[in-house]
Amino acid sequence: MATEYNAYVTTERIEGDDDGPLAGTTVAVKDNISTEGVQTTAGSAMLDGYVPPYDATVVQRLKSAGATIPGKTNMDEFGMGTTTETSAYGPTENPAAPGHVPGGSSGGSAAVVAAGDADMALGTDTGGSIRCPAAFCGVVGIKPTYGLVSRYGLIAYANSLEQIGPIAPSVEEAAELLEVIAGPDDHDATTRDNDGATEGLADAADGDVDGLSIGVPTELVEGADDAVVETFWDAIDELEAQGASYHEVDLPSVEHAVEAYYVIAMSEASSNLARFDGVRYGQSGGYDGNWNESFANAREEGFGEEVKRRVLLGTYALSAGYHDKYYKKAQDARAWVKQDFDSALDEADVLASPTMPVPPMEMGESLDDPLQMYLADANTTPVNLANLPAISVPAGETDDGLPVGLQLVGPAFGEKTIIRAGSALA
Amino acid sequence: MSESVVDPDEVRHVADLARVDLDDDEVERFTEQFGEIIAAFETLDEVPEVERESELANVMRPDEAHDCLSQDEALQNAPESEDGHFKGPKVS
């Protein structure tokens, strides 16, 4: 069923098996995840009418677990955005904060969960695209450790950074959904079987934070909006009251994380999106002129402005003479961020920060200034660079009633630790 | 931070490399925005050279034939096909 807040691109239902752990549960699926026989657009006009001939691994697992998929959710085009306003199918509105964006790029998924139109949803997170909308819509979202969940059938944006993950009203439900989709897959060689990392996830949501050690990276709190910081510390107080303790930690590398993230993500995007030439699928560029003209025409028509911006910037960063200056430096920054997080997690069980440094923006506010929009990803992108798991749980609301999320980051394949910690709040 | 690093010709050149046609308005907007964004990327100069620990391992599988899409399935989303093939534009 369509929603008033434009959260679905397609509302064709997909019925799962009769029984299984998710029988009787609806799980909406982000529209960049392939569903056999049901249109999958990734929010792009390029793929309008594209019908995948196969299911993504996570969709197969949902169906086997008995879930019903009520539709494919709206998203920033190819996952490129922080507000779900770059979709070719129009922006999604935040049902938890009308007039505001739901966050992105998995904005439709978070919105249907927040509004209660789906029990749970799948999103994808390349630089915060699950955690940001979860925070903005007042629900729970988990970005799994790189390699925990198969990306087979996901329309790629930046392969080395992205993971599919759950969005749900509570940590326990998000963990249940993660348990269904996680685990090795022969179709994705980057998945890993990591000693029980995929079992007992839902059971870990027991809310026991007695003795939990929380590190708070000062760099991720200082730059945030006052109302967000206040709500963040209230949530830390709440965890302290339940037996956790916190200390401040220093992560100097994160000052460069957003820039490094965008260089790497755009570079990978420029390569990934080269496949859209209008021949095998997608909008045709016609048959006049030579193939370069035809491809350039298809891509002018099929791609929206943010996608063109990222493909061009990625092409620039990888082009002769600039590769060492940008891409190689970004890889150095990535390695540095990893080391910083690993050391901080030697001294703490989890690292906590506001998920987003700002409350949900008003619709239409941030589209004219791309750099400003990129900088809003300051707290989420370092986690993707470090390949680590993170959860966003509702921390409360600002005085204006806008949702604020708390992000908890754990060690690689330490999903149970962040699920346990997060479940003390939601 | 740095002199404007991008001019309109450079935007057109990169768009050409990326096979994306742009209209004049897009070229103008991108020229301005890219200057600002690339200036931000240049702050990566401050990043020290970092020794990268490699935990990477190759993942291998036997090279065996297995079930895959049928020809019809593979062609079903193509804008045009002919005699079981994708139909592409002229090479030159």
Side-chain angles (χ1 to χ4, degrees):
Chain A
M1 210 174 64
T3 61
E4 284 167 13
Y5 46 96
N6 194 33
Y8 286 116
V9 176
T10 302
T11 51
E12 199 172 327
R13 277 173 91 83
I14 303 171
E15 299 293 341
D17 292 354
D18 288 342
D19 22 67
L22 295 179
T25 306
T26 52
V27 181
V29 172
K30 189 177 180 180
D31 203 33
N32 58 349
I33 299 173
S34 301
T35 41
E36 183 180 349
V38 174
Q39 176 183 252
T40 299
T41 69
S44 182
M46 177 62 86
L47 287 175
D48 196 53
Y50 171 74
V51 178
Y54 67 100
D55 273 333
T57 298
V58 293
V59 169
Q60 269 180 355
R61 289 183 182 173
L62 284 185
K63 287 159 122 178
S64 306
T68 295
I69 299 170
K72 303 294 296 292
T73 56
N74 202 5
M75 56 180 285
D76 282 299
E77 186 177 0
F78 289 107
M80 299 179 187
T82 305
T83 62
T84 311
E85 292 173 295
T86 72
S87 169
Y89 303 90
T92 298
E93 188 174 2
N94 187 337
H100 294 76
V101 302
S105 65
S106 313
S109 288
V112 292
V113 172
D117 286 320
D119 297 323
M120 303 191 250
L122 291 185
T124 63
D125 191 311
T126 311
S129 286
I130 288 174
R131 290 160 287 157
C132 162
F136 280 6
C137 293
V139 295
V140 174
I142 300 175
K143 180 260 163 200
T145 307
Y146 189 80
L148 189 82
V149 179
S150 168
R151 292 177 292 108
Y152 180 68
L154 165 63
I155 297 173
Y157 155 28
N159 320 51
S160 81
L161 296 160
E162 57 208 2
Q163 277 287 291
I164 297 170
I167 295 175
S170 70
V171 173
E172 188 175 2
E173 289 159 289
E176 267 173 48
L177 179 53
L178 181 58
E179 202 166 321
V180 166
I181 60 170
D185 176 19
D186 287 343
H187 285 119
D188 178 357
T190 64
T191 52
R192 281 172 61 184
D193 186 3
N194 214 76
D195 297 335
T198 60
E199 289 150 35
L201 295 175
D203 292 341
D206 58 13
D208 180 5
V209 291
D210 196 24
L212 182 83
S213 163
I214 304 170
V216 177
T218 46
E219 291 86 353
L220 301 184
V221 182
E222 276 165 359
D225 187 278
D226 289 345
V228 169
V229 173
E230 199 178 312
T231 314
F232 166 75
W233 285 116
D234 287 348
I236 297 294
D237 288 348
E238 168 79 35
L239 290 169
E240 246 189 327
Q242 296 184 47
S245 64
Y246 84 88
H247 61 274
E248 295 190 347
V249 299
D250 207 23
L251 296 178
S253 64
V254 302
E255 305 284 1
H256 299 283
V258 177
E259 289 80 10
Y261 165 80
Y262 274 98
V263 169
I264 293 169
M266 289 170 174
S267 297
E268 292 187 24
S270 73
S271 169
N272 269 319
L273 270 59
R275 75 191 66 193
F276 296 104
D277 56 14
V279 174
R280 291 154 297 161
Y281 34 71
Q283 301 308 303
S284 172
Y287 297 85
D288 294 334
N290 70 35
W291 58 351
N292 286 327
E293 289 160 6
S294 171
F295 296 163
N297 185 36
R299 293 155 69 79
E300 179 184 29
E301 301 294 316
F303 289 156
E305 188 158 320
E306 183 59 29
V307 173
K308 290 177 188 169
R309 193 153 37 233
R310 295 195 192 192
V311 166
L312 262 56
L313 284 165
T315 304
Y316 179 85
L318 291 178
S319 62
Y322 293 111
H323 177 276
D324 283 3
K325 190 173 163 58
Y326 300 113
Y327 188 74
K328 188 165 165 290
K329 276 306 203 186
Q331 293 294 357
D332 275 332
R334 183 173 191 174
W336 188 18
V337 168
K338 264 187 207 171
Q339 289 173 7
D340 256 4
F341 270 88
D342 287 348
S343 327
L345 285 164
D346 283 342
E347 311 290 326
D349 297 314
V350 296
L351 303 178
S353 74
T355 306
M356 296 298 288
V358 290
M361 301 79 134
E362 285 177 26
M363 292 179 80
E365 183 186 329
S366 48
L367 276 177
D368 293 336
D369 191 345
L371 182 61
Q372 219 43 50
M373 187 162 79
Y374 301 162
L375 294 175
D377 299 339
N379 290 6
T380 48
T381 50
V383 182
N384 300 75
L385 292 174
N387 298 335
L388 298 175
I391 190 168
S392 179
V393 295
E397 290 182 351
T398 65
D399 292 342
D400 299 330
L402 299 173
V404 173
L406 170 79
Q407 170 175 258
L408 297 167
V409 184
F413 297 100
E415 271 74 8
K416 280 178 214 141
T417 307
I418 57 170
I419 286 166
R420 179 166 287 121
S423 64
L425 292 175
Chain B
M1 196 171 293
S2 74
E3 71 284 12
S4 182
V5 278
V6 184
D7 62 41
D9 285 343
E10 205 158 4
V11 170
R12 285 197 188 89
H13 173 64
V14 172
D16 199 39
L17 291 176
R19 309 284 187 272
V20 178
D21 277 348
L22 298 178
D23 61 35
D24 291 344
D25 287 351
E26 283 175 314
V27 172
E28 196 183 320
R29 270 200 303 283
F30 284 177
T31 302
E32 193 183 319
Q33 292 167 351
F34 287 8
E36 204 184 28
I37 293 165
I38 287 167
F41 289 173
E42 299 206 337
T43 62
L44 289 170
D45 276 345
E46 298 157 18
V47 173
E49 207 162 300
V50 178
E51 197 164 326
R52 300 178 207 162
E53 298 158 38
S54 176
E55 316 160 27
L56 305 175
N58 282 324
V59 177
M60 314 294 269
R61 61 166 173 76
D63 187 19
E64 290 164 353
H66 56 88
D67 291 341
C68 65
L69 298 180
S70 68
Q71 194 176 39
D72 283 347
E73 286 169 329
L75 290 171
Q76 77 185 22
N77 283 291
E80 275 202 59
S81 62
E82 205 172 289
D83 300 332
H85 299 278
F86 295 113
K87 185 173 176 186
K90 287 191 274 294
V91 173
S92 60

